[in-house]
Amino acid sequence: MGQSDSKKKLGRFELRVSEDAQDVAYLRLPSHPGETCKMSKSIRLAELMGSYTGPDVVFDFDQDGVLVGIEILA
């Protein structure tokens, strides 16, 4: 997928807070393609910063390596 193709799919920021667990939120980035998105890779912030001690933060990437969402577990 080329750069111009990904720009066509841009949406908006959307924050979803879990109804079951109020301490879980997901931020969909404008690059998120929607419900059919298949995450290719998820990376925890703690993996990037060994000394990180805050809430569990997970970065979700699509099959093209584009960051599409961020999950926060407080």
Side-chain angles (χ1 to χ4, degrees):
M1 173 182 302
Q3 182 72 333
S4 62
D5 291 338
S6 64
K7 287 184 179 181
K8 291 177 188 175
K9 294 170 38 174
L10 293 180
R12 59 185 181 145
F13 286 95
E14 182 180 330
L15 179 64
R16 294 182 177 186
V17 178
S18 173
E19 293 179 17
D20 299 330
Q22 293 296 313
D23 58 348
V24 178
Y26 192 80
L27 177 62
R28 284 176 129 181
L29 301 178
S31 56
H32 198 288
E35 299 299 326
T36 61
C37 180
K38 294 183 180 174
M39 300 308 158
S40 175
K41 187 172 191 176
S42 295
I43 300 175
R44 287 188 148 64
L45 182 56
E47 292 175 27
L48 300 174
M49 300 175 58
S51 62
Y52 179 74
T53 59
D56 194 13
V57 178
V58 181
F59 300 102
D60 288 335
F61 298 87
D62 69 8
Q63 294 176 340
D64 295 320
V66 175
L67 179 65
V68 295
I70 302 169
E71 183 176 30
I72 303 166
L73 302 114

